[in-house]
């Protein structure tokens, strides 16, 4: 999620905008005051059918309830009020396909079903993009009749609008025990972490002064590519992704970094995010990607998990491939809900704490009159389903200082790389890796709501390596 670029402190001194925006990076300065809306998967809104064009109203009136419930995180009346909609379509998929998403036979089977669906829709729909490692495709639906046919099709599980997400904008290594872990040789050897963000300025010293990804041999960046619009820039100018990648590089000094630029001027669009997850799954084996970091989110708020999120199936397929999705909780200050995709099942949801006393601190949308190590920051979104806490204010990495849950999440992504490094516990299940972090973490109580969440302690998480995870 978007980060706050330097907060103003009362006492002590102390993006690239993605076009089409789908995910708000955790705490970029203006991003705290985000509008909150209840996901339609939780409560389907009343459809204002009377306000629709007559033909669309007639089509919608005949739509069965089961078909209506396939629309996730959106309002039916909004979709039917438009002549054309660009939507992400998810097919019904069994567990075997999710476990073997990269297998040629799985891709062939899914591809055939996608082509059959498109044929059934005829001229009413157009394929904009296929995601060959996922049971999903990006389609343009040209009429209310075609939209109804899509929703009525028994092979369609869900339909998601293509929306924009914003950045949720990390020095806190001693607090989490990283210097001692690194000094003991645990640095994420043999792993890689994908950073879905605003790009990665790989020529900075923090990444090995690369001339190109992988060059010279000291370069920490294994790959960097534009997933959204090909602007050929290393970062967008906000350097949010560069800061996030710098945090991971500091926590896990031996892990390789992969910068996936998912932002355009308007934000990170959902279809671009799905394309990025598809890329990560496809390249998992090539780089041994063990985690992907998403410091971004939308303006929704969910007190519990949000299975209606677009990220539910992509995250399930990523985990089946051996990749842990780490997501910033959000920066709206909400004490009763997380943004999407942090709330999606399968996500490791990360909130932010201070790493020391900074005196009074004021951000664009909230302030803390006093601060202390392991105090939850005022901007950090919270709920009982939050997974972990990590330092998120003010974090300097790759020469950039930012605050936000965007900075907390990469601490966790880096810690996962260390735990799954070749000399640590690479054969743990993904759940076992997460349990090591949770069981060894320092319990922190959020004074705003009483929720207790473990703050990561990497050194303690490594103490029982060689023994089964808690």
């Amino acid at each position: 999620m978007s980060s706050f670029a330097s907060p103003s402190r009362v006492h002590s001194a102390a993006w690239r905008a993605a076009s089409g925006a789908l995910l708000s990076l955790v705490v970029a300065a203006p991003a705290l005051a985000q509008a909150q809306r209840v996901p339609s998967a939780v409560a389907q809104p009343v459809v204002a059918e009377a306000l629709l064009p007559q033909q669309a109203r007639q089509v919608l009136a005949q739509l069965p309830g089961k078909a209506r419930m396939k629309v996730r995180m959106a309002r039916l009346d909004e979709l039917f009020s438009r002549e054309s909609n660009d939507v992400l379509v998810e097919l019904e998929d069994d567990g075997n396909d999710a476990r073997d998403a990269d297998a040629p036979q799985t891709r062939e089977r899914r591809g055939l079903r996608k082509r059959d669906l498109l044929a059934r829709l005829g001229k009413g729909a157009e394929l904009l993009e296929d995601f060959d490692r996922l049971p999903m495709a990006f389609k343009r639906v040209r009429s209310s009749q075609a939209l109804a046919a899509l929703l009525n099709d028994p092979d369609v599980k869900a339909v998601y609008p293509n929306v924009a997400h914003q950045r949720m904008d990390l020095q806190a290594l001693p607090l989490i025990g990283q210097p001692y872990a690194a000094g003991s040789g645990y640095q994420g050897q043999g792993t890689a972490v994908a950073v879905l963000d605003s790009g990665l300025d790989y020529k900075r010293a923090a990444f090995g002064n690369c001339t190109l990804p992988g060059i010279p041999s000291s370069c920490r960046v294994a790959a960097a590519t534009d997933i959204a619009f090909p602007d050929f820039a290393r970062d967008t100018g906000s350097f949010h992704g560069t800061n996030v990648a710098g945090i991971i590089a500091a926590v896990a000094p031996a892990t390789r970094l992969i910068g996936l630029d998912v932002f355009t001027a308007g934000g990170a669009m959902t279809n671009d995010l799905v394309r990025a997850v598809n890329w990560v799954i496809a390249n998992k084996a090539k780089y041994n990607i063990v985690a992907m970091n998403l410091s971004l989110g939308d303006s929704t708020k969910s007190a519990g998990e949000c299975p209606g999120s677009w990220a539910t199936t992509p995250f399930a397929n990523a985990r089946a491939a051996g990749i842990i999705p780490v997501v910033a909780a959000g920066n709206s200050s909400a004490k009763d809900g997380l943004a999407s995709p942090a709330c999606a099942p399968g996500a490791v949801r990360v909130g932010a704490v201070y790493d020391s006393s900074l005196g009074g601190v004021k951000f664009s949308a909230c302030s803390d009159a006093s601060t202390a190590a392991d105090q939850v920051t005022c901007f950090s979104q919270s709920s009982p389903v939050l997974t972990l806490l990590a330092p998120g204010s003010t974090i300097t990495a790759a020469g950039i200082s930012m605050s936000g849950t965007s900075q907390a999440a990469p601490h966790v992504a880096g810690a996962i790389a260390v735990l799954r490094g070749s000399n640590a516990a690479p054969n743990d299940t993904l759940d076992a890796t997460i349990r090591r972090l949770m069981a060894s973490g320092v319990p922190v109580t959020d004074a705003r709501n009483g929720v207790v969440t473990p703050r990561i302690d990497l050194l303690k998480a490594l103490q029982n390596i060689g023994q089964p995870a808690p």
Side-chain angles (χ1 to χ4, degrees):
M1 321 226 28
S2 296
S3 312
F4 301 98
S6 303
S8 62
R9 296 177 183 164
V10 177
H11 299 302
S12 59
W15 124 260
R16 132 178 163 114
S19 90
L22 262 186
L23 292 185
S24 289
L25 261 78
V26 174
V27 196
L32 281 183
Q34 296 174 338
Q36 299 170 352
R37 60 183 173 87
V38 179
S40 61
V42 177
Q44 190 69 254
V46 176
V47 178
E49 297 183 17
L51 302 178
L52 297 177
Q54 182 177 0
Q55 186 179 46
R57 186 164 65 248
Q58 292 172 347
V59 173
L60 182 53
Q62 298 174 9
L63 196 66
K66 183 178 181 180
R68 293 174 179 240
M69 293 305 295
K70 291 181 181 180
V71 174
R72 307 290 175 86
M73 314 297 280
R75 290 178 51 179
L76 274 169
D77 58 329
E78 293 178 351
L79 293 179
F80 275 88
S81 68
R82 294 190 285 265
E83 291 185 5
S84 177
N85 284 284
D86 292 351
V87 295
L88 289 110
V89 180
E90 179 181 350
L91 301 184
E92 295 285 357
D93 211 29
D94 62 34
N96 290 330
D97 280 351
R99 286 190 292 272
D100 300 317
D102 202 37
Q105 59 268 31
T106 300
R107 301 204 303 273
E108 182 178 355
R109 182 164 54 248
R110 284 176 169 171
L112 178 61
R113 292 171 58 211
K114 292 174 183 178
R115 291 191 293 274
D116 286 347
L117 173 60
L118 197 63
R120 291 195 294 273
L121 295 173
K123 294 181 179 180
E126 172 188 358
L127 177 65
L128 300 179
E129 184 174 5
D130 182 28
F131 306 108
D132 63 345
R133 265 71 175 181
L134 297 168
M136 301 179 78
F138 189 35
K139 298 179 187 291
R140 176 165 295 154
V141 185
R142 295 195 174 97
S143 67
S144 58
Q145 293 92 335
L147 178 59
L150 178 69
L151 294 172
N152 274 312
D153 195 289
D155 208 23
V156 173
K157 178 180 180 179
V159 172
Y160 308 88
N162 193 31
V163 298
H165 302 67
Q166 305 303 325
R167 294 183 300 263
M168 307 244 190
D169 295 317
L170 198 126
Q171 218 107 71
L173 300 183
L175 183 69
I176 67 170
Q178 187 275 342
Y180 308 99
S184 299
Y186 297 106
Q187 301 185 18
Q189 288 88 336
T191 67
V193 176
V195 181
L196 283 61
D197 213 295
S198 64
L200 199 170
D201 186 3
Y202 50 78
K203 290 194 174 184
R204 294 188 174 229
F207 307 118
N209 295 307
C210 315
T211 55
L212 289 171
I215 302 172
S217 59
S218 59
C219 179
R220 299 281 307 280
V221 179
T225 188
D226 287 322
I227 293 294
F229 182 76
D231 60 4
F232 308 106
R234 295 191 296 275
D235 202 331
T236 58
S238 71
F239 296 106
H240 184 274
T242 298
N243 174 259
V244 168
I247 296 166
I248 297 170
V251 175
T255 197
R256 294 185 298 168
L257 302 162
I258 295 169
L260 302 180
D261 185 353
V262 297
F263 278 86
T264 60
M269 297 306 297
T270 305
N271 66 306
D272 291 327
L273 291 168
V274 175
R275 184 186 306 123
V277 176
N278 192 77
W279 189 100
V280 174
I281 295 172
N283 289 277
K284 192 294 195 240
K286 180 177 181 179
Y287 300 107
N288 191 28
I289 303 171
V290 297
M292 57 184 180
N293 189 93
L294 295 88
S295 287
L296 46 80
D298 66 11
S299 60
T300 62
K301 183 184 71 170
S302 179
E305 287 194 334
C306 54
S309 170
W310 64 268
T312 298
T313 292
F315 283 1
N317 281 259
R319 289 181 65 117
I323 305 157
I324 299 177
V326 181
V327 189
N331 297 329
S332 77
S333 303
K335 60 186 178 183
D336 58 351
L338 308 181
S340 173
C343 58
V348 173
R349 308 152 183 138
V350 188
V353 298
Y354 293 104
D355 66 336
S356 61
S357 173
L358 304 176
V361 178
K362 184 176 182 179
F363 299 95
S364 59
C366 69
S367 62
D368 283 313
S370 61
T371 55
D374 281 335
Q375 174 185 330
V376 177
T377 64
C378 65
F379 56 75
S380 185
Q381 287 179 233
S382 177
S383 93
V385 299
L386 193 66
T387 311
L388 293 162
L389 294 167
S393 181
T394 297
I395 310 302
T396 300
I400 303 153
S401 296
M402 290 184 175
S403 293
T405 55
S406 279
Q407 281 57 58
H411 279 97
V412 174
I416 289 170
V418 171
L419 288 174
R420 299 191 70 79
S422 59
N423 64 340
N427 297 319
D428 271 358
T429 65
L430 303 192
D431 286 338
T433 296
I434 298 166
R435 286 201 307 272
R436 288 188 190 276
L437 286 171
M438 295 181 69
S440 61
V442 176
V444 172
T445 301
D446 190 332
R448 302 171 300 172
N449 57 11
V451 171
V452 180
T453 307
R455 187 264 298 153
I456 64 167
D457 187 321
L458 183 54
L459 184 61
K460 288 185 179 179
L462 288 162
Q463 285 178 348
N464 294 320
I465 289 296
Q467 301 178 21

